[in-house]
Amino acid sequence: MLHIYNTLSRTKEPFKPAQPGQVRMYVCGMTVYDYCHLGHARMLVAFDVVQRWLRASGLTVDYVRNITDIDDKIIRRAVETGRRIGEVTEYYIAAMHADERALGVQSPDREPRATQYVGDMLDIIGKLEQNGLAYRADDGDVNYAVRGFAGYGKLSGKALDDLRAGERVAVGSAKRDPLDFVLWKAAKPDEPEDTKWPSPYGLGRPGWHIECSAMSKALLGLPLDIHGGGPDLKFPHHENEIAQTEGAFGGTLANIWMHCGPLMVDSDKMSKSLGNFRTIRQTIAQGEAAADQADYAVNPREAEMLRFFIVRNHYRSPQNYAPDNLVDAQNALDRLYQALLNVVPDGSPVDWNSAQAQAFKAAMDDDFNTSGALAALFELASDANRTRSAQAAGQLKALAAVLGLLQQDPASYFQCTTRYSAASLAQGGATASNELDAGQIDALIAARAAAKQARDYAEADRIRAQLREAGIELDDKPGGITQWRRA
């Protein structure tokens, strides 16, 4: 049986959906005002693996991941660039989707936007008012009265008096208590008109936290089977969601709370606020991604390396970003692809009765232990290399598909360049300026074949040595076919 670590109970629990066989899963998504960085990539990939394994386990999944398309940061970006709010959000939504495609992240079943659910948010605020948990402040905002909700702090495990206000703006003097957070922000005269909605409280816009209470309730109902998000959302965002939803409707918001671990740079979490971030597209783009284009050309070898880098660590553990770690991930992924290059897979589905598949399943059922699941893949790669078994190679490819890995053609994979090797790292992460392109390589292979046909073996050996010097390895196959790959 699948066991999942529940942030709320602080223990692994057997996973039992409220409706047998059906999973209602809500994950907090992106605030679309800038490009996604590698910390965002970790969250996207982590929950993509979760939903893949739930489906592979025979469960029906309704996976909802929201988009925050109204927010202070979005408004600032619109004002700074002279664009309308919708222009800003549409651009960065398209950019986010391009990043997801590059990383093999499957689209959620539904992807609601906050601006589509303002009416639902106002309905919840009204219920909170009726229940004595919301009040209208002198500055026109509507705030949540935190001390009126007895369960506040149960997710983060903090005592109420130790907590600090959690909204994205400074605490205002109009609040009754510094812990109170905003549900509805009164419009200000200097704010763009497309950030203002009519409400019983006057023109304004929703606070950040209320959107997920509205969208999860409207689309999935209560209780959710799984509610997930990034490491920084446990407090205050998810704590506030619980207060809002359970304060308005009673009952339980979610049975299982999941949070992925942070991506670290040295001892700090990667984040835009610290300025220590690297975007997804900076890491996997083919050449320099155009700054004014949402979509971009992707290096498929590097893109899968980044996914592998994320998957090889357990989703809850802190993970350290460093160029050396990317190089190590590239080398490990190359070893798996080398097995598929050496032995053509037989195309068989997963044999769940096999020892390696059982080990894979046991790892994934233990709170999505992807590092343990990858160990089973490396065993299969070793078997395929040792025995030249097409079945072992087939099982390797089929099991890897559950993690979104090893689905490229191996020959094409190895013909892609990569910045993430020991040699390129020594050059500052750049590929050699004199690197041969595919056309030049094919021409040299053809010249070598002609030299061999003319029995000029010295020339054939010279060409092979020239290619090896350029980092190109040749593999002569029966029938006069030569495959090449970048070392």
Side-chain angles (χ1 to χ4, degrees):
M1 172 180 276
L2 172 63
H3 286 70
I4 303 176
Y5 182 85
N6 188 351
T7 306
L8 184 63
S9 66
R10 296 162 185 78
T11 187
K12 290 181 188 177
E13 300 178 4
F15 180 55
K16 297 178 180 178
Q19 294 180 285
Q22 300 184 34
V23 181
R24 293 178 294 178
M25 174 172 160
Y26 184 93
V27 172
C28 292
M30 297 297 126
T31 300
V32 285
Y33 73 98
D34 204 349
Y35 297 119
C36 295
H37 62 61
L38 297 184
H40 299 140
R42 189 172 194 206
M43 184 279 291
L44 292 168
V45 170
F47 287 102
D48 180 58
V49 169
V50 167
Q51 64 89 20
R52 283 173 182 260
W53 182 244
L54 294 172
R55 296 180 202 273
S57 300
L59 298 166
T60 300
V61 181
D62 192 353
Y63 176 25
V64 176
R65 192 188 68 221
N66 77 294
I67 292 174
T68 298
D69 61 344
I70 182 64
D71 172 88
D72 292 342
K73 295 178 182 179
I74 297 171
I75 294 171
R76 282 198 296 270
R77 180 57 57 93
V79 171
E80 289 167 0
T81 59
R83 291 181 289 175
R84 294 182 59 82
I85 296 294
E87 293 179 76
V88 172
T89 57
E90 287 297 335
Y91 176 86
Y92 287 111
I93 289 170
M96 176 186 70
H97 288 160
D99 290 335
E100 291 169 0
R101 289 192 298 272
L103 294 176
V105 172
Q106 295 175 339
S107 299
D109 297 295
R110 291 183 277 182
E111 194 175 50
R113 303 183 185 190
T115 54
Q116 299 168 336
Y117 289 84
V118 174
D120 297 86
M121 298 179 211
L122 288 168
D123 288 344
I124 294 176
I125 294 171
K127 285 183 171 60
L128 292 172
E129 247 192 321
Q130 294 169 13
N131 294 344
L133 291 171
Y135 62 90
R136 308 184 195 196
D138 293 340
D139 60 2
D141 290 351
V142 180
N143 298 323
Y144 189 99
V146 165
R147 293 186 186 273
F149 181 69
Y152 197 84
K154 62 183 177 180
L155 182 67
S156 58
K158 299 177 182 179
L160 195 63
D161 289 334
D162 293 337
L163 297 174
R164 294 293 180 267
E167 68 272 28
R168 292 182 172 187
V169 295
V171 173
S173 59
K175 291 182 179 181
R176 296 176 183 171
D177 189 296
L179 292 175
D180 294 349
F181 60 89
V182 68
L183 298 167
W184 185 261
K185 295 185 176 185
K188 296 178 175 58
D190 59 345
E191 291 177 334
E193 291 303 312
D194 54 355
T195 66
K196 301 173 183 179
W197 281 263
S199 82
Y201 318 106
L203 287 178
R205 67 178 186 277
W208 175 36
H209 311 296
I210 192 67
E211 67 180 64
C212 288
S213 289
M215 287 184 276
S216 60
K217 172 70 165 59
L219 293 173
L220 294 173
L222 300 175
L224 307 173
D225 294 302
I226 297 174
H227 194 319
D232 55 338
L233 297 186
K234 184 193 307 183
F235 179 81
H237 184 56
H238 288 163
E239 195 79 74
N240 290 352
E241 273 190 69
I242 290 173
Q244 293 164 163
T245 304
E246 297 181 6
F249 302 105
T252 300
L253 169 53
N255 290 328
I256 296 283
W257 285 87
M258 296 180 66
H259 296 90
C260 65
L263 186 65
M264 308 297 292
V265 181
D266 298 323
S267 59
D268 294 319
K269 184 175 76 73
M270 181 178 287
S271 68
K272 288 190 170 74
S273 61
L274 293 176
N276 64 351
F277 68 95
R278 182 175 176 82
T279 67
I280 295 171
R281 59 189 54 215
Q282 285 175 325
T283 309
I284 63 174
Q286 185 74 56
E288 292 296 323
D292 58 347
Q293 293 181 357
D295 208 350
Y296 60 103
V298 173
N299 182 313
R301 188 174 180 182
E302 295 177 351
E304 189 165 350
M305 174 278 299
L306 181 54
R307 184 181 179 97
F308 180 88
F309 165 74
I310 294 167
V311 169
R312 75 188 309 191
N313 274 55
H314 191 274
Y315 77 92
R316 282 193 290 115
S317 301
Q319 185 173 19
N320 191 50
Y321 165 79
D324 283 342
N325 293 342
L326 297 186
V327 170
D328 185 62
Q330 187 75 78
N331 291 339
L333 182 61
D334 286 355
R335 289 199 298 274
L336 293 177
Y337 264 109
Q338 187 63 55
L340 298 181
L341 187 66
N342 293 341
V343 183
V344 178
D346 65 0
S348 58
V350 175
D351 175 11
W352 290 108
N353 293 316
S354 68
Q356 291 92 342
Q358 286 288 303
F360 183 99
K361 183 179 187 304
M364 292 299 290
D365 278 345
D366 182 15
D367 193 31
F368 309 98
N369 181 6
T370 51
S371 57
L374 284 174
L377 298 190
F378 280 100
E379 281 192 26
L380 281 166
S382 296
D383 286 351
N385 285 326
R386 184 178 66 256
T387 64
R388 290 295 192 252
S389 167
Q391 183 182 21
Q395 290 299 291
L396 169 60
K397 184 171 183 177
L399 277 174
V402 178
L403 301 178
L405 298 170
L406 303 187
Q407 302 308 295
Q408 298 184 56
D409 172 66
S412 299
Y413 169 87
F414 278 115
Q415 289 176 5
C416 293
T417 60
T418 179
R419 290 166 285 178
Y420 304 105
S421 66
S424 62
L425 191 63
Q427 301 172 28
T431 53
S433 59
N434 60 348
E435 189 172 71
L436 299 175
D437 62 30
Q440 293 170 316
I441 295 166
D442 288 338
L444 285 168
I445 289 174
R448 175 174 174 263
K452 290 171 69 176
Q453 184 71 24
R455 298 180 179 273
D456 188 351
Y457 299 115
E459 175 62 8
D461 289 344
R462 187 197 65 77
I463 294 173
R464 184 177 194 124
Q466 178 185 350
L467 287 166
R468 182 176 291 119
E469 181 68 21
I472 306 301
E473 297 291 341
L474 302 183
D475 186 10
D476 292 323
K477 299 289 187 181
I481 298 172
T482 298
Q483 289 183 340
W484 64 271
R485 65 182 182 87
R486 298 186 189 275

